[in-house]
Amino acid sequence: MAPAPLSPIKVGHIEDVQELQKSKPNKVPERFIREGNERPAFVISQESASSDIPVIDLSNFSSPGLDDFLSETLRLSHACEEWGFFQVINHGIEMEVIEEMEKAAKEFFGMPLEEKQKYPMEPGTVQGYGQAFIFSEDQKLDWCNMFALGLHPPSIRNPKLWPTKPVRFSEALEKYSREVRKLCEGLLRNIARSLGVKEGRFEEIFGEAVQAVRMNYYPPCSRPDLVLGLSPHSDGSALTVLQQSRDSCVGLQILKDSMWVPFQPLPNALVINVGDTIEVLTNGKYKSVEHRAVTHRERDRMTIVTFYAPSYEVEVGPMAEFVDDETNPCKYRRYNHGEYSHHYVSNKLQGKKSLDFAKISTI
Ligand code: OGA
Ligand code: NI
């Protein structure tokens, strides 16, 4: 079942942050200013650092040496269990494909507003140019412009939203997304092995996997201490692949032991995170971790984020191997993934609240 359309809601006028930053570089409207405990400087980790976030070398999974293969598998399971986030190197996607995508996305955000508004994210939808996840006039806004497109299966595409300018945009996105899809398929096989289940297990459950992309552009902000680039959330996907443009400053932060750890990926690495679906399927053994983005006073930042998830038709719930009435009671109910997706996009981003949809109450 494809997610039903959302009902239109009154969200007031949402200012385009890029335009705001160009015309009034020192102004931060009230609607962007966070409460004290949501502000970026609150509980930043001094102990954990980017350098502790696991790096997975994917070439070791095709290495003829059994030792490399096994130790990388162990590292992967540690990364998913302890961090929910890791970065992959030697991922096999050609630099040229990544650079072309990055160039096309940058050019898109660099176009005049009227041009970008030809592809609007209409109220009640999640594809196109605009700000998603806004449901009321008093909700705080993120310092970010987004452009989102459904990619796969073809039935979720909205061809009217595929830009004709920049001219190479569609070609770059098609190539990039084919490669990222292969990467996700391979990662899921390795994640299955790291859990001790059959390699093709996730593929069997997922059916024709859904893939979507969201490009996030964070302009500089004169008060990065007061605003967030992206509100704290976990991802509603199974896996997420994040590519940060090369000249970007640090912006992504992940919540570890109740503190925000800044994450600056290695050059040429892709950032991977476990989404809500993997948390449910593994009955919480691998967790989707809360993360957010912050802004910078002088520098902009762009990320290209791919969400990979089961078909809307399938039913998901904890896999039997991870449930045991005594030590590991079932924490999530079974549900239809299309309904979950609908639930996810019809609520504001709010930490890990999205998973309440699936949680079995223990009281
Ligand atoms: C996302 C996300 C973080 C970033 O798009 O879901 O978490 O740094 N983005 O852009
Ligand atoms: Ni995210």
Side-chain angles (χ1 to χ4, degrees):
M1 194 199 71
L6 312 176
S7 44
I9 326 146
K10 202 162 184 299
V11 294
H13 173 68
I14 298 170
E15 282 185 271
D16 184 286
V17 282
Q18 257 173 289
E19 297 303 310
L20 190 65
Q21 196 265 332
K22 268 189 256 168
S23 59
K24 301 180 199 135
N26 292 318
K27 184 168 177 336
V28 178
E30 186 59 34
R31 248 187 121 178
F32 291 88
I33 299 181
R34 301 279 169 162
E35 300 296 332
N37 62 357
E38 281 192 354
R39 289 181 186 171
F42 203 75
V43 289
I44 288 284
S45 174
Q46 305 298 330
E47 282 138 45
S48 293
S50 284
S51 55
D52 300 330
I53 298 172
V55 179
I56 303 295
D57 182 346
L58 290 185
S59 66
N60 281 332
F61 290 128
S62 44
S63 135
L66 190 60
D67 282 356
D68 290 343
F69 183 83
L70 292 177
S71 57
E72 208 61 44
T73 304
L74 266 180
R75 252 198 297 281
L76 178 62
S77 96
H78 171 82
C80 293
E81 213 167 326
E82 299 300 322
W83 287 87
F85 260 87
F86 53 95
Q87 43 188 329
V88 290
I89 56 169
N90 297 320
H91 46 66
I93 305 184
E94 279 178 34
M95 250 20 260
E96 198 190 321
V97 173
I98 293 188
E99 279 164 9
E100 286 292 307
M101 180 70 259
E102 209 166 284
K103 203 164 131 229
K106 255 203 188 132
E107 273 177 45
F108 178 83
F109 284 112
M111 293 194 303
L113 183 62
E114 310 83 72
E115 193 59 39
K116 291 181 279 190
Q117 282 177 335
K118 290 183 182 161
Y119 314 101
M121 189 181 291
E122 302 284 0
T125 68
V126 287
Q127 294 191 42
Y129 178 75
Q131 276 223 8
F133 307 106
I134 299 164
F135 300 98
S136 75
E137 289 186 67
D138 52 13
Q139 189 181 332
K140 292 292 176 193
L141 299 179
D142 291 336
W143 197 265
C144 176
N145 282 337
M146 292 177 170
F147 184 49
L149 293 171
L151 297 167
H152 198 89
S155 57
I156 68 165
R157 289 189 178 206
N158 181 348
K160 286 201 223 89
L161 295 178
W162 283 60
T164 47
K165 276 202 246 167
V167 276
R168 294 171 65 86
F169 185 96
S170 297
E171 189 190 330
L173 179 57
E174 296 282 16
K175 266 197 193 145
Y176 177 75
S177 52
R178 258 196 310 272
E179 293 300 314
V180 173
R181 192 169 182 87
K182 278 190 257 166
L183 173 70
C184 290
E185 290 164 352
L187 278 168
L188 281 177
R189 283 194 292 274
N190 284 311
I191 290 177
R193 274 193 315 96
S194 79
L195 288 160
V197 301
K198 219 174 55 190
E199 223 182 51
R201 192 65 190 284
F202 291 120
E203 212 171 320
E204 266 169 40
I205 298 175
F206 283 24
E208 186 78 21
V210 169
Q211 186 181 350
V213 69
R214 181 163 74 216
M215 297 158 203
N216 302 309
Y217 180 76
Y218 306 95
C221 177
S222 61
R223 292 303 303 268
D225 54 328
L226 302 181
V227 310
L228 287 178
L230 188 59
S231 302
H233 65 283
S234 64
D235 292 342
S237 53
L239 275 188
T240 301
V241 178
L242 178 144
Q243 175 199 333
Q244 174 172 301
S245 69
R246 271 141 195 281
D247 46 3
S248 287
C249 51
V250 58
L252 175 63
Q253 297 184 338
I254 66 182
L255 193 64
K256 174 121 171 71
D257 305 324
S258 309
M259 278 184 286
W260 292 104
V261 181
F263 187 175
Q264 179 70 332
L266 297 168
N268 301 338
L270 292 169
V271 175
I272 312 292
N273 66 284
V274 169
D276 293 347
T277 310
I278 296 283
E279 172 163 335
V280 169
L281 289 169
T282 62
N283 199 26
K285 182 174 168 71
Y286 287 180
K287 284 186 195 61
S288 67
V289 165
E290 203 173 322
H291 53 285
R292 68 180 187 182
V294 298
T295 60
H296 190 279
R297 193 185 299 275
E298 277 115 33
R299 296 178 60 185
D300 62 356
R301 179 167 172 268
M302 187 185 72
T303 55
I304 299 171
V305 183
T306 302
F307 302 101
Y308 187 87
S311 154
Y312 293 136
E313 315 291 332
V314 304
E315 215 187 78
V316 292
M319 300 191 286
E321 294 87 334
F322 300 96
V323 180
D324 146 8
D325 284 342
E326 268 162 34
T327 53
N328 241 341
C330 190
K331 297 193 187 79
Y332 309 94
R333 64 184 178 88
R334 293 189 71 75
Y335 57 84
N336 163 271
H337 185 71
E339 279 174 30
Y340 184 67
S341 286
H342 179 66
H343 165 83
Y344 188 90
V345 299
S346 12
N347 285 281
K348 68 173 184 174
L349 296 177
Q350 203 179 357
K352 289 200 59 168
K353 214 160 179 310
S354 50
L355 262 177
D356 287 354
F357 174 89
K359 271 195 188 128
I360 293 176
S361 159
T362 46
I363 345 160

